Structures are given as C-alpha cells and as structure tokens.
Amino acid sequence: KAVAAFLECGIFEFGFAQVHCKECGYSLFVPFSCKGRCFCPSCQAKRAVFWAEWLCEEVLAPVDHRQFVFTIPKILRGYFLRNRSLLGDLARCAWQALKEYFETMYPELDGPVVPGAVFCIQSFGNLLSWNSHLHAIVTNGCFAGDTFYPLPETFLTEGLDTLTQIFRARVIAMLRAQKLLSEDLARNILHWQHHSGFSVHSETVIAKGDKIALENLAQYITRNPVSQERIIMGKDGTVTYHAK
C-alpha cells in the first residue's frame, strides 16, 4: 500500500490543488503527495525537517549532545523482524543501559542521575536488508537536579565497552523474559568475548548552540530507508538501487 501510494506521489494526473493568492493574484498548481511514512523519500524528508525543528526548539536541553548507535548481532535480528513490538523493548533496553551506566559514572552525586535521550528505531541496512538497530541523541552528560554534569574525556576509551556489556545483558534478559531464548543460548551469547555483534558507537559530539548540526543529526536518525538519489532507471526499464 505504501509503495503504491509512493508511485502516485507528486504526479499531476493523480490529482492536484490550485493555490491562489488573493492579494497578488498569483496561482500555483500543486500535485497531491502521498503523505507516507518511512518509504516515500519526499514525504518522509519533509516530516523529518519538521520533526527535527520541533525537537531542537521544544525538547532538547541547551547542552552538548552526543550521537549513540546501538546494534545487535544477526542471530537476534529475526526476533524483531517477526515481532515488531519488540523494537520498542529494544529501545527501552538501550535507555535502561544508558541510565545505569550514567549512574555508575557519578557515584558521588546525591539523588537520581538522569541523562536526556531521544531514540529512533531503524530497521534497515545500507542495501535495505533487515537490520534492527537504534540511533539516539543523548546529552553529553547527565542531570542531577537542575545541574548538568558533562561526561569525562575518558568516556570513548573506557566507557563504551562497559555500556555495550550492560546493553547486551539488558537485551538478553528481555528476550529471555519473552521466552524467546533458551537458557543455554542466552548464556552462550553473554559469554562471547570478541565480535559479539553487540556494539555501541558514539563519536559524534555536537556543541551547545550548534542548532544546524543538531537539526541535521535529528533528520539523519529519522531518515527515509529509500534514497531517491540511489534509484537509477536503465534504458531497458531495469531499476537499480545503489549502495554507498
């Protein structure tokens, strides 16, 4: 249904409206759009622009932010393909892991230690294959009351491995609670030391006040799976989708 609507999006023969200015008399014909979500490159791009602007103006705190990417191994991705509601649970696992990690980073603070975070679920890879993972915009530090405490500079060298291990434990526990993993398989995955398939990347930091960079990041993490620039129509009618 989404594909069929996309094929008619922006084409005059499928309907249009006339926009008329009463003051200057200028008229403009505008073809109807499909208003689709997460398939039509044009409609999703417009949605992403509005969402990013709202996020930066109404939601995100005026502090430094950091991009996080949470990935899971291929052996587990099929569970999220067959049951899409688990994607919400995956985001909650990442949030719980972040909060737990930040709490261990600031043991001297009294009261709750809370980072700010916005998660976007992405289910596609570079060639549109199924790849359930998470992108997040996270405060580059945490709040304790009204005070913001930035992350130490050693985070990238010392903290990501710990955060990845917490995330892995949370995801395995969630799948065990859903009775999707046997005890033996869960134990086996938890003992993988190298190339476990679980990872947390976080190298991009956006400084406080850099609204353009923050809006660009917000648009990126909610981008459309299909890029119209990568769709090439051959002379023989063959459609090719190019990777990066």
Side-chain angles (χ1 to χ4, degrees):
K1 183 178 179 181
V3 174
F6 160 62
L7 294 176
E8 298 181 358
C9 182
I11 299 178
F12 281 98
E13 72 177 278
F14 297 110
F16 58 89
Q18 182 180 16
V19 182
H20 180 76
C21 178
K22 294 181 179 180
E23 295 183 2
C24 70
Y26 181 76
S27 292
L28 177 69
F29 292 99
V30 181
F32 293 146
S33 60
C34 66
K35 298 181 174 62
R37 296 175 63 92
C38 299
F39 189 83
C40 173
S42 176
C43 292
Q44 181 63 22
K46 180 180 179 181
R47 193 186 303 273
V49 168
F50 285 129
W51 183 80
E53 185 176 328
W54 168 79
L55 195 70
C56 293
E57 293 184 359
E58 304 290 340
V59 179
L60 301 180
V63 298
D64 293 351
H65 284 82
R66 183 182 288 272
Q67 179 189 11
F68 281 79
V69 182
F70 294 80
T71 58
I72 60 175
K74 291 181 180 179
I75 194 174
L76 299 181
R77 294 174 190 171
Y79 297 112
F80 299 90
L81 173 62
R82 292 185 289 271
N83 184 355
R84 303 301 174 89
S85 66
L86 291 175
L87 292 168
D89 294 326
L90 183 65
R92 279 183 282 274
C93 288
W95 161 246
Q96 292 163 357
L98 268 177
K99 191 170 184 301
E100 181 179 338
Y101 173 77
F102 273 79
E103 288 172 348
T104 63
M105 288 290 294
Y106 303 92
E108 72 281 1
L109 299 180
D110 296 328
V113 175
V114 182
V118 175
F119 285 90
C120 283
I121 301 166
Q122 291 191 1
S123 59
F124 55 91
N126 184 35
L127 278 175
L128 306 183
S129 57
W130 176 262
N131 180 8
S132 45
H133 60 288
L134 305 167
H135 284 256
I137 299 176
V138 182
T139 53
N140 194 34
C142 69
F143 294 93
D146 295 329
T147 305
F148 181 72
Y149 296 88
L151 273 174
E153 295 181 358
T154 58
F155 169 70
L156 283 179
T157 57
E158 301 176 2
L160 280 180
D161 287 342
T162 302
L163 179 56
T164 301
Q165 292 174 14
I166 298 173
F167 174 59
R168 175 172 65 171
R170 289 280 186 176
V171 173
I172 296 301
M174 180 270 292
L175 294 175
R176 283 284 293 143
Q178 297 278 354
K179 303 186 185 307
L180 295 173
L181 290 184
S182 66
E183 184 176 349
D184 290 341
L185 180 57
R187 188 185 306 112
N188 186 21
I189 296 175
L190 285 171
H191 282 83
W192 290 347
Q193 296 299 321
H194 303 288
H195 308 294
S196 69
F198 286 93
S199 67
V200 181
H201 293 284
S202 180
E203 296 181 357
T204 301
V205 178
I206 297 177
K208 172 184 175 181
D210 193 347
K211 183 182 177 183
I212 294 178
L214 202 55
E215 286 190 356
N216 287 339
L217 176 58
Q219 292 179 44
Y220 173 76
I221 69 174
T222 188
R223 70 190 187 279
N224 198 62
V226 179
S227 171
Q228 200 156 349
E229 295 176 351
R230 299 185 189 179
I231 303 175
I232 306 298
M233 173 71 79
K235 294 182 179 180
D236 61 350
T238 302
V239 177
T240 305
Y241 192 84
H242 287 271
K244 289 183 179 179

